[in-house]
Amino acid sequence: MGDVFTPINFGLLLLGTIGGLILGATPGLSPTMAVALLIPFTFQLEPQQGLILLGAAYTSTVAGGAVSAILLKIPGAPANIATTLDGHTMALKGEGAQALQLSFLASAVGGLFGVFLLIFLTPVLAQWALAFGPSHLFWLAILGVTVIGTLDSSSVVKGLLAGCIGLWLATIGFDDIMGAQRFIFHPSVSGGINVIPALIGLFAIPQVITMFTKGRSRDDAEIISVKRHPIRLAFVEVFRRKTALFIGTITGSIIGLIPGVGGQIAGLVAYDQSKKFSRESEKFGTGHSEGVIAAESANNAMVGPSLVPLLTLSIPGSPTAAVLLGGLLIHGIFPGPDLFMNYPQVAWTFIDSMLIGQILMCIFGLYIAGLAARVARVPHAVMAAVVLGLAVFGSYSVQNSMGDVYVMASLGVGMYFLERFGFSAAPLVLGLILGPIAEANFIQGSMIANATVGMGSYFFTGWLNWLLILIVLASVSYSIWMEVAQRRYTTKDDAVAKEEALS
Amino acid sequence: MTSLPRSQHIIASGLIAAVGVSIAYISYTQEPAEAYVFPRLISAVFAVLAIWTFVKAILGRTKVGNGISGDAMLKMAPGLVVTLAYVFWAAKALGFYTATTVAFFLLLSLYDPAPHTQLKTWAKRIAITAGFVLVMYGLFAQLLNVFTPREILF
């Protein structure tokens, strides 16, 4: 814990927390995009310092997203969608300050629980993961891509296709075995596609273009001024609503552990469950404090557990965790079972900083909510230009190369169009990041298999291989089932609407 | 679904299918074969899924994605042109800071909802642009020591 409190580390923690709150409060800047844009600023730092900055920013952007959700009815991130339901209504009733205070307090409680889960689960899982061989790591990488591909997308086929595009992008450049160049169609990618410019492009540029499509219009959302509210009363209120706090925290933590599900689902499920268990369920949606507490405790409780599969198995649990993986790799740290053996100080300082970061986020959140509210009013034009500038400078600074800037822009513009046709950036990014892990372990596994039991036996026997294969199949099947069910439901609704229109 | 998004879906999925099939073809024909073992595996899945998506688009059964409306296209076009010119030409030709200043100011002028007829709003745009470029210079040139292409002015 002591490492967190050295002047430079604590300073970075403060910077990441305050910066994250401001970035999170800005509509259009998602936590994933904010962390991706921050990575270039960590190049000059030691690995643990860089991770402290990124971890603090991750925690705070998720919580800061509540500011625009409450005051503008624009969720700062998908994780804050459920917060708009009651938070904005509270703000309309003149209880904006109370809603903000409740959201930061609930976020801190959920977040602290999530980080404790991270502390207790990570070493256990890391110990277990030490037994993994190349075939298991190959299936794990495939699992990471398919789970995110199927759960983060509205179409299973398009999610998997995006994962394949990412895996293919990862094969561009030199191969590790023969040193042969593959798929070099432009000199900019002769050394392969660097993960950081790709991340910046895939997450930031589509958002910039989306801001362009809004033209010169202002947001229709009503901006609400925040009146003073005693913090003491918010404390009393948040701990009076124990059921909502408990449901939000537990739901968020469990959902965070499942790779690919993310904060959006955590917030909505927690909101829904709190409503079911509440004695005042009829008040949900009318500006009820339980709605804000459940949603915000859930989306921050998800942050810690979403890093468990990342730190132990190299499988990012969320798109933002995928970006953090990119940050780790750029500092030469390969997460996985060996992380706690090779870099224990880096790993534990990072985890400790997440713990302190939650408390700092709460303190600053409570006191700078008013300032964050002002940031939420920044026009789209300014945001688009700022993000574009940061994306260009950030991509260039990775290797001082214009090629990276071209890659960033090309992937970003391509991703915007892909998103318009139902593709999601998260599986593509996962494919790009996990591709080298999958390929290296596939090749290594093939060599072992050819020299011993053969490919079929090596990759398709053993309980661990089968467990991973079954999880891959189960996640794909479940997503297909959900998609079909949802479509049937929509078709039924359409039929009823048509009948009503005809009658 | 109107015919415009359907045709857009066909074009988009057709392009992806073409990429998928090309990658599969390259993976299965290029030498040395050992270097393409993994690409073969993924490109086969890529091509199958891409063709599946393309066939669905042709049959009009694509349910996900809204395509791009003409209005959105018109609104984004000027910003996209400035962005692409900035990234692919101006940043290197004019230098990062000069190009950023020009691109930032152009984007603000194009998309800022404040009226174009008032001197005050132009002054505000100039101030925001100057402030942003100064912050970028401070961060990247001074703090992070990133050497960026510098051609005109600085």
Side-chain angles (χ1 to χ4, degrees):
Chain A
M1 190 69 88
D3 279 356
V4 182
F5 292 103
T6 62
I8 178 91
N9 288 358
F10 194 70
L12 287 164
L13 189 59
L14 283 176
L15 194 70
T17 306
I18 297 170
L21 281 170
I22 292 167
L23 290 172
T26 314
L29 271 183
S30 68
T32 315
M33 184 175 144
V35 176
L37 286 173
L38 277 176
I39 288 179
F41 295 100
T42 68
F43 294 157
Q44 301 287 318
L45 304 171
E46 293 291 318
Q48 65 182 25
Q49 293 169 347
L51 284 172
I52 286 172
L53 183 72
L54 297 178
Y58 181 15
T59 304
S60 305
T61 42
V62 174
V67 175
S68 56
I70 290 167
L71 300 180
L72 301 173
K73 210 185 176 183
I74 303 168
N80 306 106
I81 289 172
T83 314
T84 58
L85 301 172
D86 279 293
H88 186 66
T89 326
M90 280 181 81
L92 287 175
K93 291 197 292 189
E95 297 166 0
Q98 191 188 357
L100 286 171
Q101 289 166 354
L102 290 178
S103 79
F104 284 117
L105 285 169
S107 291
V109 174
L112 282 171
F113 185 82
V115 179
F116 277 120
L117 216 60
L118 174 73
I119 291 170
F120 290 115
L121 283 182
T122 307
V124 180
L125 212 62
Q127 200 64 32
W128 180 64
L130 280 170
F132 281 33
S135 67
H136 311 125
L137 291 170
F138 167 74
W139 285 119
L140 259 181
I142 299 299
L143 173 67
V145 177
T146 52
V147 168
I148 295 253
T150 51
L151 291 174
D152 195 63
S153 304
S154 40
S155 156
V156 176
V157 173
K158 288 189 175 178
L160 293 175
L161 192 48
C164 282
I165 297 174
L167 285 169
W168 166 64
L169 288 173
T171 64
I172 292 175
F174 290 98
D175 88 288
D176 289 340
I177 306 295
M178 307 293 293
Q181 281 198 319
R182 303 177 298 191
F183 308 112
I184 307 297
F185 42 84
H186 191 274
S188 301
V189 292
S190 57
I193 290 183
N194 194 298
V195 172
I196 302 304
L199 285 174
I200 294 173
L202 290 167
F203 286 113
I205 299 299
Q207 199 56 46
V208 169
I209 301 174
T210 305
M211 289 174 191
F212 291 158
T213 60
K214 291 179 179 157
R216 297 185 64 224
S217 62
R218 284 183 186 277
D219 268 325
D220 294 331
E222 194 182 345
I223 299 167
I224 294 157
S225 58
V226 179
K227 291 174 198 158
R228 282 180 179 276
H229 180 264
I231 292 170
R232 183 180 52 82
L233 295 180
F235 263 103
V236 173
E237 179 69 6
V238 88
F239 290 104
R240 196 165 71 86
R241 305 291 185 182
K242 287 187 198 77
T243 316
L245 193 63
F246 179 77
I247 291 174
T249 303
I250 298 296
T251 311
S253 301
I254 294 169
I255 289 178
L257 280 171
I258 308 167
V261 182
Q264 181 185 342
I265 310 279
L268 289 168
V269 171
Y271 183 86
D272 182 56
Q273 290 303 310
S274 296
K275 190 178 173 181
K276 280 179 185 153
F277 282 94
S278 172
R279 287 180 190 164
E280 298 169 311
S281 57
E282 73 286 350
K283 286 188 181 171
F284 274 73
T286 62
H288 190 37
S289 59
E290 282 187 57
V292 177
I293 293 168
E296 280 303 310
S297 55
N299 64 32
N300 251 56
M302 181 224 65
V303 171
S306 78
L307 298 175
V308 173
L310 171 75
L311 296 178
T312 54
L313 306 167
S314 310
I315 306 288
S318 66
T320 319
V323 178
L324 274 176
L325 175 58
L328 280 163
L329 295 176
I330 204 96
H331 285 287
I333 295 170
F334 192 85
D338 300 336
L339 177 71
F340 289 86
M341 290 165 70
N342 297 339
Y343 306 98
Q345 202 181 357
V346 173
W348 285 113
T349 306
F350 172 56
I351 292 174
D352 293 342
S353 77
M354 296 277 293
L355 200 65
I356 309 295
Q358 295 286 352
I359 298 163
L360 290 177
M361 174 272 294
C362 182
I363 295 168
F364 285 107
L366 290 171
Y367 286 100
I368 65 163
L371 172 72
R374 257 183 245 167
V375 175
R377 298 173 200 190
V378 174
H380 291 307
V382 177
M383 274 323 299
V386 167
V387 172
L388 178 64
L390 280 171
V392 169
F393 277 77
S395 307
Y396 183 84
S397 64
V398 178
Q399 300 180 114
N400 286 8
S401 153
M402 278 310 289
D404 283 339
V405 181
Y406 301 151
V407 167
M408 179 277 296
S410 309
L411 286 177
V413 173
M415 194 65 237
Y416 171 77
F417 287 102
L418 284 174
E419 278 182 354
R420 301 304 306 160
F421 294 98
F423 291 87
S424 170
L428 204 151
V429 163
L430 256 289
L432 183 62
I433 291 176
L434 296 176
I437 301 171
E439 180 169 14
N441 285 292
F442 179 72
I443 300 295
Q444 207 182 335
S446 310
M447 287 172 172
I448 297 170
N450 289 332
T452 54
V453 289
M455 291 286 278
S457 298
Y458 187 75
F459 281 97
F460 292 97
T461 53
W463 69 270
L464 196 50
N465 277 339
W466 274 109
L467 177 71
L468 295 167
I469 294 167
L470 282 175
I471 299 173
V472 169
L473 294 175
S475 75
V476 174
S477 311
Y478 173 74
S479 303
I480 292 172
W481 178 71
M482 284 293 286
E483 200 179 315
V484 171
Q486 200 175 1
R487 227 166 258 172
R488 270 194 201 144
Y489 185 71
T490 316
T491 318
K492 243 184 217 174
D493 271 3
D494 287 350
V496 171
K498 269 182 194 167
E499 256 177 43
E500 278 174 0
L502 287 171
S503 61
Chain B
M1 192 178 281
T2 60
S3 61
L4 179 69
R6 184 177 166 182
S7 65
Q8 285 189 9
H9 278 293
I10 293 172
I11 295 168
S13 55
L15 284 171
I16 293 167
V19 172
V21 170
S22 310
I23 291 163
Y25 176 77
I26 294 169
S27 302
Y28 282 90
T29 54
Q30 285 286 308
E31 292 292 334
E34 290 85 347
Y36 286 89
V37 173
F38 187 71
R40 281 180 188 182
L41 191 73
I42 52 158
S43 67
V45 184
F46 185 170
V48 169
L49 292 173
I51 291 168
W52 170 274
T53 310
F54 182 46
V55 171
K56 272 182 83 176
I58 289 174
L59 296 174
R61 291 174 60 195
T62 306
K63 307 282 184 204
V64 180
N66 302 318
I68 304 163
S69 69
D71 181 50
M73 204 69 154
L74 279 176
K75 281 179 179 166
M76 85 163 89
L80 205 54
V81 169
V82 172
T83 301
L84 296 177
Y86 168 43
V87 171
F88 288 100
W89 173 75
K92 201 174 177 191
L94 305 179
F96 263 43
Y97 296 100
T98 312
T100 304
T101 310
V102 174
F104 196 99
F105 186 70
L106 279 175
L107 289 175
L108 275 195
S109 308
L110 284 167
Y111 291 103
D112 183 8
H116 282 152
T117 47
Q118 291 176 2
L119 202 65
K120 197 177 84 180
T121 57
W122 285 105
K124 201 173 165 187
R125 285 181 195 126
I126 291 170
I128 294 171
T129 307
F132 176 72
V133 176
L134 274 175
V135 169
M136 295 300 274
Y137 185 78
L139 278 175
F140 284 89
Q142 302 300 319
L143 192 72
L144 299 174
N145 293 318
V146 177
F147 180 80
T148 48
R150 289 168 200 181
E151 298 294 332
I152 301 173
L153 300 178
F154 66 102

